Amino acid sequence: MATCVGRIVVQASQRNCAFLMVSAQNKLANRRQLATKKLLTVGRLESPKQQGKYITGQLFLHRIFGYRGILLFPWLARLYDRDVAGNKQASPPLTAETGEHIHTDNKEVKGKTHVYYQVLIDSRDCPFITEAVTFLGNQDNNRSLYAIPGLDYVAHEDILPYSTTEKNPIQHELFDKFLEQNSGQDPNFVAKDTLKAWQEKNHPWLELSDVHRETTENVRVTVIPFYMGARVSQDSSVYWWRYCIRLENLGEETVQLRERHWRIFSLSGTLETVRGRGVIGQEPILSKEQPAFQYSSHVSLQAPSGHMWGTFRIEKSNGQTFDCRIPPFTLESKQDDQPNPHGFFG
């Protein structure tokens, strides 16, 4: 991303940032087309907040992926950072301690609260960062997967705020349903009652509660699990979770993800091992110019709780490989499993 005289010059759909996001989704065929587009000035850069929170309606660029977005509301998550003791520079500023702990591999990791935001992604940038929130929707008494595209969770330090005079700066089908302009306020977009009602109704499936992070040989893995709901019957019960994973290359050397190895433990007593090439059909390259890759997937258990952990096999430019640890994380269900989580979108 380039900056010019206090203004943001968006490359979210142009050269450098386009390459970054195209790499994140492995859409290499679009590179030549995107690189020929002109730069687009979208607003005036504001100073990032070192303390406090941003509020609903704040426009921003994502520090890593470069997409345009707008904040809906904040979350206070428990961040379990396994790098704190051994790698201070890998950890962003944290706020007050929650006093909660997680014990894994005979190592105690203390959770601290950290601010994340629920955001809308501009649909013009969605082809390069395909994030979505998924639920188990209830349609004709059949719990089926339901997705709302263009929704992401962004850490406070990844927000690059900007302002603009555009009346409709973000293109997303929910923008006009959730937000309205108020020229007398800064930022000049405020929440509608529909956003407040949607947040309250869908809180169990939207809530970001735990974030887990660990770095191995300059490759940092961040995991955020979410409970989606359950299919419960007299004969059996199946509980579903989604999890968002971000890999980030903090070093200078280019590396590539080659394999994944998961261990999934269920409270029912089963332990499953999953091995395979890449993730979601891709083997992303993490370089200095294109350092990050983010994806989401799903897992189901026949018990209301469990654990997941594992490794990614990473290959260096010289052909050597190492196992990058995926931090252990818990899968916990919630008691308030309502029949229609998506509210007025049903």
Side-chain angles (χ1 to χ4, degrees):
M1 180 177 61
T3 58
C4 177
V5 196
R7 294 181 301 169
I8 300 174
V9 180
V10 173
Q11 296 176 334
S13 55
Q14 282 78 28
R15 291 185 61 188
N16 294 339
C17 284
F19 290 172
L20 174 62
M21 291 190 293
V22 168
S23 173
Q25 296 302 320
N26 205 24
K27 296 181 181 292
L28 302 180
N30 290 331
R31 281 191 175 187
R32 183 175 301 175
Q33 176 184 355
L34 292 170
T36 61
K37 292 186 178 182
K38 295 181 180 180
L39 296 177
L40 173 66
T41 301
V42 298
R44 183 171 295 275
L45 181 66
E46 298 177 351
S47 298
K49 288 187 177 182
Q50 301 301 317
Q51 304 292 333
K53 301 176 187 177
Y54 299 103
I55 64 174
T56 297
Q58 176 64 62
L59 296 165
F60 73 96
L61 291 183
H62 194 291
R63 181 179 64 88
I64 299 297
F65 295 109
Y67 64 70
R68 291 160 284 185
I70 191 166
L71 303 185
L72 296 182
F73 43 81
W75 294 107
L76 277 179
R78 293 185 299 273
L79 174 59
Y80 297 100
D81 193 339
R82 297 171 67 83
D83 301 326
V84 170
N87 186 3
K88 297 289 186 181
Q89 67 177 12
S91 307
L94 300 172
T95 59
E97 298 177 1
T98 64
E100 299 198 23
H101 300 71
I102 184 169
H103 298 267
T104 52
D105 300 336
N106 296 321
K107 181 177 180 180
E108 183 181 48
V109 182
K110 196 170 189 178
K112 297 186 178 182
T113 58
H114 194 61
V115 178
Y116 282 74
Y117 300 94
Q118 188 91 61
V119 307
L120 290 182
I121 303 173
D122 194 302
S123 60
R124 292 167 291 186
D125 301 333
C126 275
F128 314 110
I129 181 73
T130 54
E131 280 307 304
V133 168
T134 49
F135 309 104
L136 283 182
N138 187 6
Q139 298 175 354
D140 299 326
N141 296 320
N142 180 25
R143 301 299 293 273
S144 56
L145 188 66
Y146 181 88
I148 303 175
L151 283 173
D152 199 5
Y153 295 80
V154 183
H156 181 84
E157 65 273 12
D158 286 337
I159 297 292
L160 295 178
Y162 73 93
S163 59
T164 183
T165 57
E166 289 186 52
K167 185 177 181 180
N168 296 296
I170 300 297
Q171 294 184 14
H172 192 287
E173 62 178 343
L174 299 180
F175 181 81
D176 290 334
K177 292 182 179 179
F178 284 170
L179 300 156
E180 60 186 354
Q181 194 168 28
N182 183 349
S183 57
Q185 185 168 318
D186 184 24
N188 60 358
F189 294 95
V190 296
K192 289 184 175 180
D193 290 340
T194 49
L195 174 58
K196 299 172 184 177
W198 182 77
Q199 178 188 6
E200 182 178 355
K201 186 176 185 64
N202 295 297
H203 186 276
W205 291 268
L206 293 172
E207 182 181 11
L208 184 155
S209 56
D210 293 344
V211 179
H212 303 267
R213 187 165 63 197
E214 185 168 4
T215 302
T216 307
E217 296 195 32
N218 287 321
V219 176
R220 184 164 65 191
V221 178
T222 303
V223 183
I224 309 177
F226 300 89
Y227 179 59
M228 292 173 56
R231 293 190 179 99
V232 179
S233 67
Q234 293 181 346
D235 299 327
S236 65
S237 298
V238 180
Y239 300 83
W240 285 85
W241 291 263
R242 71 183 185 274
Y243 54 91
C244 178
I245 291 187
R246 172 168 146 183
L247 294 97
E248 187 174 357
N249 186 357
L250 304 178
E252 300 291 327
E253 182 179 4
T254 297
V255 298
Q256 186 170 11
L257 189 157
R258 291 299 191 183
E259 300 176 4
R260 69 189 186 279
H261 178 200
W262 282 107
R263 304 276 279 178
I264 306 168
F265 174 76
S266 172
L267 189 63
S268 63
T270 62
L271 179 62
E272 182 181 1
T273 298
V274 178
R275 293 180 180 270
R277 295 288 297 183
V279 291
I280 61 170
Q282 302 181 44
E283 297 180 23
I285 297 173
L286 307 177
S287 65
K288 186 176 180 181
E289 295 77 19
Q290 304 162 13
F293 178 86
Q294 182 170 296
Y295 75 98
S296 295
S297 191
H298 303 89
V299 63
S300 64
L301 301 177
Q302 292 183 330
S305 64
H307 290 80
M308 288 182 66
W309 68 97
T311 57
F312 293 124
R313 179 63 54 87
I314 304 295
E315 182 178 320
K316 299 181 179 180
S317 55
N318 61 7
Q320 294 181 347
T321 63
F322 65 93
D323 286 334
C324 178
R325 293 182 296 274
I326 304 171
F329 58 97
T330 58
L331 302 171
E332 295 290 347
S333 61
K334 298 176 182 179
Q335 298 301 317
D336 48 354
D337 188 1
Q338 302 171 10
N340 184 18
H342 49 271
F344 62 84
F345 294 107

